[in-house]
Coordinates of all heavy atoms in Angstrom, one line a residue:
M1 N -2.6 9.3 21.6 CA -3.0 7.9 22.0 C -1.7 7.0 22.0 O -0.8 7.2 21.2 CB -4.0 7.3 21.0 CG -5.3 7.9 20.9 SD -6.4 7.1 19.8 CE -7.2 6.0 20.9
S2 N -1.7 6.1 22.9 CA -0.6 5.2 22.9 C -0.7 4.2 21.9 O -1.9 3.8 21.5 CB -0.4 4.6 24.3 OG -1.3 3.5 24.4
P3 N 0.4 3.7 21.3 CA 0.3 2.6 20.3 C -0.5 1.4 20.8 O -1.2 0.7 20.0 CB 1.7 2.3 20.0 CG 2.5 3.5 20.3 CD 1.7 4.1 21.5
D4 N -0.3 1.0 22.1 CA -1.0 -0.1 22.6 C -2.5 0.1 22.6 O -3.3 -0.8 22.3 CB -0.5 -0.4 24.0 CG 0.9 -1.1 24.1 OD1 1.3 -1.6 23.0 OD2 1.5 -1.0 25.1
S5 N -3.0 1.3 22.9 CA -4.4 1.6 22.9 C -5.0 1.4 21.5 O -6.1 0.9 21.3 CB -4.7 3.0 23.4 OG -4.3 3.2 24.7
V6 N -4.3 1.9 20.5 CA -4.7 1.8 19.1 C -4.8 0.3 18.7 O -5.8 -0.1 18.1 CB -3.8 2.6 18.2 CG1 -4.2 2.3 16.7 CG2 -3.8 4.1 18.5
L7 N -3.8 -0.4 19.1 CA -3.8 -1.9 18.8 C -4.9 -2.6 19.4 O -5.6 -3.4 18.8 CB -2.4 -2.5 19.2 CG -2.3 -4.0 18.9 CD1 -2.4 -4.3 17.4 CD2 -1.0 -4.5 19.5
H8 N -5.2 -2.3 20.7 CA -6.3 -3.0 21.4 C -7.6 -2.6 20.8 O -8.5 -3.4 20.6 CB -6.2 -2.7 22.9 CG -5.1 -3.3 23.6 ND1 -4.9 -4.6 23.8 CD2 -4.0 -2.7 24.1 CE1 -3.8 -4.9 24.4 NE2 -3.2 -3.7 24.6
M9 N -7.7 -1.3 20.4 CA -9.0 -0.9 19.8 C -9.2 -1.6 18.4 O -10.3 -2.1 18.1 CB -8.9 0.6 19.5 CG -10.2 1.2 19.1 SD -10.1 3.0 18.8 CE -9.2 3.6 20.2
L10 N -8.1 -1.7 17.7 CA -8.2 -2.4 16.4 C -8.6 -3.9 16.6 O -9.5 -4.4 15.9 CB -6.8 -2.4 15.7 CG -6.7 -3.3 14.4 CD1 -7.7 -2.9 13.3 CD2 -5.3 -3.3 14.0
Q11 N -8.0 -4.5 17.6 CA -8.4 -5.9 17.8 C -9.9 -6.1 18.3 O -10.5 -7.0 17.9 CB -7.4 -6.6 18.8 CG -6.0 -6.6 18.4 CD -5.8 -7.2 17.0 OE1 -6.5 -8.1 16.6 NE2 -4.8 -6.7 16.3
R12 N -10.3 -5.2 19.1 CA -11.8 -5.2 19.5 C -12.7 -5.0 18.3 O -13.7 -5.7 18.2 CB -12.1 -4.1 20.5 CG -11.6 -4.5 21.9 CD -12.2 -3.6 23.0 NE -11.9 -2.2 22.7 CZ -10.9 -1.5 23.2 NH1 -10.0 -2.0 23.9 NH2 -10.8 -0.2 22.9
V13 N -12.4 -4.1 17.4 CA -13.2 -3.9 16.2 C -13.2 -5.1 15.3 O -14.2 -5.5 14.8 CB -12.7 -2.6 15.4 CG1 -13.3 -2.5 14.1 CG2 -12.9 -1.4 16.2
L14 N -12.0 -5.7 15.1 CA -11.9 -6.9 14.3 C -12.7 -8.0 14.9 O -13.4 -8.8 14.2 CB -10.5 -7.3 14.1 CG -9.6 -6.4 13.3 CD1 -8.1 -6.8 13.4 CD2 -10.1 -6.4 11.8
K15 N -12.6 -8.2 16.2 CA -13.4 -9.3 16.9 C -14.9 -9.1 16.7 O -15.6 -10.0 16.4 CB -13.0 -9.3 18.4 CG -13.6 -10.5 19.1 CD -13.1 -10.6 20.5 CE -13.7 -11.8 21.2 NZ -13.2 -11.9 22.6
R16 N -15.4 -7.9 17.0 CA -16.8 -7.6 16.8 C -17.3 -7.8 15.4 O -18.4 -8.2 15.2 CB -17.1 -6.1 17.2 CG -17.0 -5.9 18.7 CD -17.5 -4.5 19.0 NE -16.9 -4.1 20.3 CZ -16.5 -2.9 20.7 NH1 -16.5 -1.9 19.8 NH2 -16.0 -2.7 21.9
A17 N -16.4 -7.6 14.4 CA -16.8 -7.7 13.0 C -16.6 -9.2 12.6 O -17.0 -9.5 11.5 CB -15.9 -6.8 12.2
G18 N -16.1 -10.0 13.5 CA -16.0 -11.5 13.1 C -14.8 -11.7 12.2 O -14.8 -12.7 11.5
L19 N -13.8 -10.8 12.2 CA -12.6 -10.9 11.4 C -11.5 -11.5 12.2 O -11.4 -11.3 13.4 CB -12.3 -9.6 10.8 CG -13.4 -9.0 9.9 CD1 -13.0 -7.6 9.5 CD2 -13.6 -9.8 8.7
E20 N -10.5 -12.1 11.5 CA -9.3 -12.6 12.2 C -8.4 -11.5 12.7 O -8.5 -10.3 12.2 CB -8.6 -13.5 11.3 CG -8.0 -12.9 10.0 CD -7.3 -13.8 9.1 OE1 -8.0 -14.7 8.5 OE2 -6.0 -13.7 9.0
R21 N -7.6 -11.8 13.6 CA -6.7 -10.8 14.2 C -5.6 -10.5 13.1 O -5.1 -11.4 12.5 CB -6.0 -11.3 15.4 CG -6.9 -11.5 16.6 CD -6.2 -12.1 17.8 NE -5.1 -11.3 18.2 CZ -5.1 -10.4 19.2 NH1 -6.2 -10.2 19.9 NH2 -4.0 -9.8 19.6
I22 N -5.3 -9.2 13.0 CA -4.2 -8.8 12.1 C -3.4 -7.7 12.8 O -3.9 -7.1 13.7 CB -4.7 -8.3 10.7 CG1 -5.6 -7.1 10.9 CG2 -5.3 -9.4 9.9 CD1 -6.0 -6.4 9.6
R23 N -2.2 -7.6 12.4 CA -1.4 -6.5 12.9 C -1.7 -5.2 12.3 O -2.1 -5.1 11.2 CB 0.1 -6.8 12.7 CG 0.6 -8.1 13.3 CD 2.0 -8.5 12.9 NE 2.1 -8.5 11.4 CZ 3.2 -8.3 10.7 NH1 4.3 -8.1 11.4 NH2 3.2 -8.3 9.4
F24 N -1.5 -4.1 13.0 CA -1.7 -2.8 12.5 C -0.8 -2.6 11.3 O -1.2 -2.0 10.3 CB -1.4 -1.7 13.6 CG -1.8 -0.3 13.1 CD1 -3.1 0.1 13.2 CD2 -0.9 0.5 12.6 CE1 -3.5 1.3 12.7 CE2 -1.2 1.8 12.2 CZ -2.6 2.2 12.2
H25 N 0.4 -3.1 11.4 CA 1.4 -3.0 10.2 C 0.8 -3.6 9.0 O 1.0 -3.1 7.9 CB 2.7 -3.6 10.6 CG 3.7 -3.4 9.5 ND1 4.4 -2.2 9.4 CD2 4.2 -4.2 8.5 CE1 5.3 -2.3 8.4 NE2 5.1 -3.5 7.9
D26 N 0.0 -4.7 9.1 CA -0.6 -5.3 7.9 C -1.6 -4.3 7.3 O -1.7 -4.3 6.0 CB -1.4 -6.6 8.3 CG -0.4 -7.6 8.9 OD1 0.7 -7.7 8.5 OD2 -0.9 -8.4 9.7
L27 N -2.3 -3.5 8.0 CA -3.2 -2.5 7.5 C -2.4 -1.5 6.7 O -2.8 -1.0 5.6 CB -4.0 -1.9 8.6 CG -5.1 -2.7 9.2 CD1 -5.8 -1.9 10.4 CD2 -6.1 -3.2 8.2
R28 N -1.3 -1.1 7.3 CA -0.4 -0.1 6.7 C 0.1 -0.6 5.3 O 0.1 0.1 4.3 CB 0.7 0.3 7.6 CG 1.8 1.2 7.1 CD 2.8 1.4 8.2 NE 4.0 2.0 7.7 CZ 4.2 3.4 7.7 NH1 3.4 4.1 8.3 NH2 5.3 3.9 7.3
H29 N 0.5 -1.9 5.3 CA 1.0 -2.5 4.1 C -0.1 -2.6 3.0 O 0.2 -2.2 1.9 CB 1.6 -3.9 4.4 CG 2.2 -4.5 3.2 ND1 3.5 -4.2 2.8 CD2 1.7 -5.4 2.4 CE1 3.8 -5.0 1.7 NE2 2.7 -5.7 1.5
T30 N -1.2 -3.0 3.4 CA -2.4 -3.1 2.5 C -2.7 -1.7 1.9 O -2.9 -1.6 0.7 CB -3.6 -3.7 3.2 OG1 -3.3 -5.0 3.7 CG2 -4.8 -3.8 2.3
F31 N -2.8 -0.7 2.8 CA -3.0 0.7 2.3 C -2.0 1.1 1.3 O -2.3 1.6 0.2 CB -3.0 1.6 3.5 CG -2.9 3.1 3.0 CD1 -4.0 3.7 2.5 CD2 -1.7 3.7 3.1 CE1 -3.9 5.0 2.1 CE2 -1.6 5.0 2.7 CZ -2.7 5.7 2.2
S32 N -0.7 0.8 1.6 CA 0.4 1.2 0.7 C 0.3 0.5 -0.7 O 0.4 1.2 -1.7 CB 1.7 0.9 1.3 OG 1.8 1.5 2.6
V33 N 0.0 -0.8 -0.7 CA -0.1 -1.5 -1.9 C -1.3 -1.0 -2.7 O -1.2 -0.7 -3.9 CB -0.2 -3.0 -1.7 CG1 -0.6 -3.8 -2.9 CG2 1.1 -3.6 -1.1
L34 N -2.4 -0.8 -2.1 CA -3.6 -0.3 -2.8 C -3.4 1.1 -3.3 O -3.9 1.4 -4.4 CB -4.8 -0.4 -1.9 CG -5.3 -1.8 -1.6 CD1 -6.4 -1.8 -0.5 CD2 -5.8 -2.5 -2.8
A35 N -2.7 1.9 -2.6 CA -2.5 3.3 -3.0 C -1.6 3.3 -4.3 O -1.9 4.0 -5.3 CB -1.8 4.1 -1.9
L36 N -0.6 2.5 -4.3 CA 0.3 2.4 -5.5 C -0.5 1.8 -6.7 O -0.4 2.4 -7.8 CB 1.5 1.5 -5.2 CG 2.6 2.2 -4.4 CD1 3.7 1.1 -4.0 CD2 3.3 3.3 -5.1
Q37 N -1.2 0.8 -6.4 CA -2.0 0.2 -7.5 C -3.0 1.1 -8.1 O -3.5 0.9 -9.2 CB -2.6 -1.1 -7.1 CG -1.6 -2.3 -6.9 CD -2.3 -3.5 -6.3 OE1 -3.3 -3.5 -5.7 NE2 -1.6 -4.6 -6.5
N38 N -3.5 2.0 -7.3 CA -4.5 2.9 -7.8 C -4.0 4.3 -8.1 O -4.8 5.3 -8.2 CB -5.6 3.0 -6.7 CG -6.4 1.7 -6.7 OD1 -7.3 1.5 -7.6 ND2 -6.2 0.8 -5.8
G39 N -2.7 4.4 -8.4 CA -2.2 5.6 -9.0 C -1.7 6.7 -8.1 O -1.3 7.8 -8.5
V40 N -1.6 6.4 -6.8 CA -0.9 7.4 -5.9 C 0.5 7.4 -6.2 O 1.2 6.4 -6.3 CB -1.2 7.1 -4.4 CG1 -0.4 8.0 -3.5 CG2 -2.7 7.1 -4.1
D41 N 1.1 8.6 -6.5 CA 2.5 8.6 -6.9 C 3.4 8.3 -5.7 O 3.0 8.5 -4.5 CB 2.9 10.0 -7.5 CG 2.8 11.1 -6.5 OD1 1.7 11.6 -6.3 OD2 3.9 11.4 -5.9
V42 N 4.5 7.7 -6.0 CA 5.4 7.2 -4.9 C 5.9 8.3 -4.0 O 6.0 8.1 -2.7 CB 6.6 6.5 -5.5 CG1 7.6 6.0 -4.5 CG2 6.2 5.3 -6.4
K43 N 6.2 9.5 -4.5 CA 6.6 10.6 -3.6 C 5.6 10.9 -2.6 O 5.9 11.1 -1.4 CB 7.0 11.8 -4.5 CG 7.7 12.9 -3.7 CD 9.1 12.6 -3.4 CE 9.8 13.8 -2.8 NZ 11.0 13.5 -2.2
T44 N 4.3 11.0 -3.0 CA 3.2 11.4 -2.1 C 3.0 10.3 -1.1 O 2.9 10.5 0.1 CB 1.9 11.6 -2.9 OG1 2.1 12.7 -3.8 CG2 0.8 11.9 -2.0
L45 N 3.0 9.0 -1.5 CA 2.9 7.9 -0.6 C 4.0 7.8 0.4 O 3.7 7.6 1.6 CB 2.8 6.6 -1.4 CG 2.6 5.3 -0.5 CD1 1.3 5.4 0.2 CD2 2.6 4.1 -1.4
S46 N 5.2 8.0 -0.1 CA 6.4 8.0 0.8 C 6.2 9.1 1.9 O 6.4 8.8 3.1 CB 7.6 8.3 0.0 OG 8.8 8.3 0.8
A47 N 5.7 10.3 1.6 CA 5.5 11.3 2.6 C 4.4 10.9 3.6 O 4.5 11.1 4.8 CB 5.2 12.6 1.9
M48 N 3.3 10.3 3.0 CA 2.2 9.9 3.9 C 2.6 8.8 4.9 O 2.2 8.8 6.0 CB 1.1 9.3 3.0 CG 0.4 10.4 2.2 SD -0.8 9.6 1.0 CE -2.1 9.2 2.1
L49 N 3.5 7.9 4.5 CA 4.0 6.8 5.3 C 5.1 7.3 6.3 O 5.5 6.5 7.2 CB 4.5 5.7 4.5 CG 3.4 5.0 3.6 CD1 4.1 4.0 2.7 CD2 2.4 4.3 4.5
G50 N 5.7 8.5 6.0 CA 6.8 8.9 6.9 C 8.1 8.3 6.5 O 9.0 8.3 7.3
H51 N 8.2 7.8 5.3 CA 9.5 7.2 4.9 C 10.5 8.3 4.6 O 10.1 9.4 4.2 CB 9.3 6.4 3.6 CG 8.6 5.1 3.9 ND1 8.0 4.3 2.9 CD2 8.3 4.4 5.0 CE1 7.5 3.2 3.4 NE2 7.6 3.3 4.7
Y52 N 11.8 8.0 4.7 CA 12.8 9.1 4.5 C 13.0 9.4 3.1 O 13.6 10.4 2.7 CB 14.1 8.7 5.2 CG 14.7 7.5 4.7 CD1 15.7 7.5 3.7 CD2 14.5 6.2 5.3 CE1 16.3 6.4 3.2 CE2 15.1 5.1 4.8 CZ 16.0 5.1 3.8 OH 16.6 4.0 3.3
S53 N 12.6 8.4 2.2 CA 12.8 8.7 0.7 C 11.8 7.9 -0.1 O 11.3 6.8 0.4 CB 14.2 8.3 0.3 OG 14.4 6.9 0.3
A54 N 11.5 8.3 -1.3 CA 10.6 7.6 -2.2 C 11.3 6.3 -2.6 O 10.7 5.3 -2.8 CB 10.3 8.4 -3.4
G55 N 12.7 6.3 -2.6 CA 13.4 5.1 -2.9 C 13.2 4.0 -1.9 O 13.0 2.8 -2.3
F56 N 13.1 4.3 -0.7 CA 12.8 3.4 0.4 C 11.4 2.8 0.2 O 11.2 1.6 0.3 CB 12.9 4.0 1.8 CG 12.6 3.0 2.9 CD1 13.5 2.1 3.3 CD2 11.3 3.0 3.5 CE1 13.2 1.2 4.3 CE2 11.0 2.1 4.5 CZ 12.0 1.2 4.9
T57 N 10.5 3.6 -0.2 CA 9.1 3.2 -0.4 C 9.1 2.2 -1.6 O 8.5 1.1 -1.5 CB 8.2 4.3 -0.7 OG1 8.2 5.2 0.4 CG2 6.7 3.9 -0.9
L58 N 9.8 2.5 -2.6 CA 9.8 1.6 -3.8 C 10.5 0.3 -3.4 O 10.1 -0.8 -3.9 CB 10.6 2.3 -5.0 CG 9.8 3.3 -5.7 CD1 10.7 4.0 -6.7 CD2 8.6 2.7 -6.4
D59 N 11.6 0.4 -2.7 CA 12.3 -0.9 -2.3 C 11.4 -1.7 -1.4 O 11.3 -3.0 -1.6 CB 13.5 -0.5 -1.5 CG 14.6 0.0 -2.3 OD1 14.6 -0.1 -3.6 OD2 15.6 0.6 -1.7
T60 N 10.6 -1.1 -0.6 CA 9.7 -1.9 0.3 C 8.5 -2.5 -0.5 O 8.1 -3.6 -0.1 CB 9.1 -0.9 1.4 OG1 10.2 -0.3 2.1 CG2 8.2 -1.7 2.4
Y61 N 8.1 -1.9 -1.5 CA 6.9 -2.4 -2.2 C 7.3 -2.7 -3.7 O 6.5 -2.6 -4.6 CB 5.8 -1.3 -2.2 CG 5.4 -1.0 -0.8 CD1 5.8 0.1 -0.1 CD2 4.6 -2.0 -0.1 CE1 5.4 0.3 1.2 CE2 4.3 -1.8 1.3 CZ 4.7 -0.6 1.9 OH 4.4 -0.4 3.2
A62 N 8.5 -3.2 -3.9 CA 8.9 -3.6 -5.2 C 8.0 -4.6 -5.9 O 7.9 -4.6 -7.1 CB 10.4 -4.1 -5.1
H63 N 7.4 -5.5 -5.1 CA 6.6 -6.5 -5.7 C 5.4 -5.9 -6.4 O 4.8 -6.4 -7.4 CB 6.1 -7.5 -4.7 CG 5.3 -6.9 -3.5 ND1 5.9 -6.2 -2.5 CD2 4.0 -6.9 -3.3 CE1 5.0 -5.8 -1.7 NE2 3.8 -6.2 -2.1
V64 N 4.9 -4.7 -5.9 CA 3.8 -4.0 -6.5 C 4.3 -3.3 -7.8 O 3.7 -3.3 -8.8 CB 3.2 -3.0 -5.6 CG1 2.2 -2.1 -6.2 CG2 2.7 -3.7 -4.3
T65 N 5.5 -2.6 -7.7 CA 6.0 -1.8 -8.8 C 6.4 -2.7 -10.0 O 6.3 -2.2 -11.1 CB 7.2 -1.0 -8.3 OG1 8.2 -1.8 -7.8 CG2 6.7 0.1 -7.3
T66 N 6.7 -4.0 -9.8 CA 7.0 -4.8 -10.9 C 5.8 -5.0 -11.8 O 5.9 -4.9 -13.0 CB 7.5 -6.2 -10.4 OG1 8.7 -6.0 -9.6 CG2 7.8 -7.1 -11.6
S67 N 4.6 -5.3 -11.2 CA 3.4 -5.4 -12.0 C 3.0 -4.1 -12.6 O 2.5 -4.0 -13.7 CB 2.3 -6.0 -11.2 OG 1.9 -5.2 -10.1
M68 N 3.3 -3.0 -11.9 CA 2.9 -1.7 -12.4 C 3.8 -1.3 -13.6 O 3.4 -0.7 -14.5 CB 3.0 -0.6 -11.3 CG 2.0 -0.8 -10.2 SD 2.2 0.2 -8.8 CE 2.1 1.9 -9.5
Q69 N 5.1 -1.8 -13.5 CA 6.0 -1.5 -14.6 C 5.5 -2.3 -15.9 O 5.6 -1.7 -17.0 CB 7.4 -1.9 -14.2 CG 8.1 -1.0 -13.2 CD 9.4 -1.5 -12.7 OE1 9.8 -2.7 -13.0 NE2 10.1 -0.7 -12.0
K70 N 5.1 -3.5 -15.7 CA 4.5 -4.2 -16.8 C 3.3 -3.5 -17.4 O 3.2 -3.4 -18.7 CB 4.2 -5.7 -16.4 CG 5.4 -6.5 -16.1 CD 5.0 -7.9 -15.7 CE 6.3 -8.7 -15.3 NZ 5.9 -10.0 -14.8
Q71 N 2.4 -3.0 -16.6 CA 1.3 -2.3 -17.1 C 1.7 -1.1 -17.8 O 1.1 -0.7 -18.9 CB 0.3 -2.0 -15.9 CG -0.4 -3.2 -15.3 CD -1.2 -2.8 -14.1 OE1 -1.0 -1.7 -13.5 NE2 -2.1 -3.7 -13.7
A72 N 2.6 -0.4 -17.3 CA 3.1 0.9 -17.9 C 3.8 0.6 -19.3 O 3.5 1.3 -20.2 CB 4.1 1.6 -17.0
A73 N 4.5 -0.5 -19.3 CA 5.2 -0.9 -20.6 C 4.1 -1.2 -21.6 O 4.2 -0.9 -22.8 CB 6.1 -2.1 -20.3
N74 N 3.1 -2.0 -21.2 CA 2.0 -2.3 -22.1 C 1.3 -1.0 -22.6 O 0.9 -0.9 -23.8 CB 1.0 -3.2 -21.5 CG 1.6 -4.6 -21.3 OD1 2.4 -5.1 -22.1 ND2 1.0 -5.4 -20.3
A75 N 1.0 -0.1 -21.7 CA 0.4 1.1 -22.1 C 1.2 1.9 -23.1 O 0.7 2.4 -24.1 CB 0.1 2.0 -20.8
V76 N 2.5 2.0 -22.8 CA 3.4 2.7 -23.8 C 3.4 2.0 -25.1 O 3.3 2.6 -26.2 CB 4.8 2.9 -23.2 CG1 5.7 3.5 -24.2 CG2 4.7 3.9 -22.0
G77 N 3.5 0.7 -25.1 CA 3.5 -0.1 -26.3 C 2.2 0.1 -27.1 O 2.3 0.3 -28.3
N78 N 1.1 0.1 -26.4 CA -0.2 0.4 -27.1 C -0.2 1.8 -27.7 O -0.7 2.0 -28.8 CB -1.4 0.2 -26.1 CG -1.6 -1.3 -25.7 OD1 -1.1 -2.2 -26.5 ND2 -2.2 -1.5 -24.6
F79 N 0.3 2.7 -26.9 CA 0.3 4.1 -27.4 C 1.2 4.2 -28.7 O 0.8 4.8 -29.7 CB 0.8 5.0 -26.3 CG 1.0 6.5 -26.8 CD1 0.0 7.3 -27.0 CD2 2.3 6.9 -27.1 CE1 0.1 8.6 -27.4 CE2 2.5 8.2 -27.5 CZ 1.4 9.0 -27.7
L80 N 2.3 3.6 -28.6 CA 3.3 3.7 -29.7 C 2.7 3.0 -31.0 O 3.0 3.4 -32.1 CB 4.6 3.2 -29.4 CG 5.4 4.0 -28.3 CD1 6.7 3.3 -27.9 CD2 5.7 5.4 -28.9
S81 N 2.0 1.9 -30.7 CA 1.4 1.2 -31.9 C 0.1 1.8 -32.4 O -0.5 1.3 -33.3 CB 1.2 -0.3 -31.6 OG 0.2 -0.5 -30.6
G82 N -0.4 2.8 -31.7 CA -1.6 3.5 -32.1 C -2.9 2.8 -31.6 O -4.0 3.1 -32.2
T83 N -2.8 1.9 -30.7 CA -4.0 1.1 -30.3 C -4.5 1.5 -28.9 O -5.4 0.9 -28.3 CB -3.7 -0.4 -30.2 OG1 -2.7 -0.6 -29.3 CG2 -3.3 -0.9 -31.6
L84 N -4.0 2.6 -28.4 CA -4.4 3.1 -27.0 C -5.9 3.5 -27.1 O -6.3 4.3 -27.9 CB -3.6 4.2 -26.6 CG -3.9 4.8 -25.2 CD1 -3.6 3.7 -24.1 CD2 -3.1 6.0 -24.9
Q85 N -6.7 3.0 -26.2 CA -8.1 3.3 -26.1 C -8.3 4.4 -25.1 O -7.7 4.3 -23.9 CB -8.9 2.1 -25.6 CG -8.8 0.9 -26.5 CD -9.4 1.2 -27.9 OE1 -10.4 1.8 -28.0 NE2 -8.7 0.8 -29.0
P86 N -9.0 5.5 -25.4 CA -9.2 6.6 -24.5 C -10.0 6.2 -23.3 O -10.8 5.3 -23.3 CB -9.9 7.7 -25.3 CG -10.4 7.0 -26.5 CD -9.7 5.7 -26.7

């Protein structure tokens, strides 16, 4: 399929659903953020997106990884203090 065909199809679906126009790239970004937030590892996500490296993926979605780093730090802190809930 040509990229233009996919874009036009997306816009028709959005219009029928009564949703605002968005770019296909916005869907890709949303998918990537949700994937990271829900535990998909960076290496796998990077391959799915066709990025040349996991580092590039992390650089692109650093705003997500910052909150994930805080959550990880809290989890490790809870574990070390013996308060981790199963």
Side-chain angles (χ1 to χ4, degrees):
M1 294 183 93
S2 82
D4 286 340
S5 296
V6 174
L7 179 61
H8 292 291
M9 189 182 316
L10 170 64
Q11 297 309 327
R12 283 194 305 271
V13 168
L14 291 170
K15 185 175 181 178
R16 286 185 203 145
L19 300 171
E20 65 183 66
R21 292 176 59 98
I22 58 173
R23 300 171 305 154
F24 188 81
H25 185 78
D26 297 330
L27 291 177
R28 177 182 167 94
H29 184 81
T30 300
F31 165 78
S32 302
V33 169
L34 291 173
L36 283 173
Q37 288 176 335
N38 286 283
V40 174
D41 68 274
V42 176
K43 187 74 173 168
T44 300
L45 181 61
S46 181
M48 292 172 74
L49 296 172
H51 289 165
Y52 63 91
S53 73
F56 178 81
T57 304
L58 283 173
D59 288 344
T60 303
Y61 300 103
H63 62 285
V64 176
T65 58
T66 301
S67 65
M68 292 171 65
Q69 287 172 350
K70 288 178 184 176
Q71 289 174 344
N74 288 334
V76 170
N78 289 339
F79 173 77
L80 292 175
S81 67
T83 60
L84 183 64
Q85 300 295 319

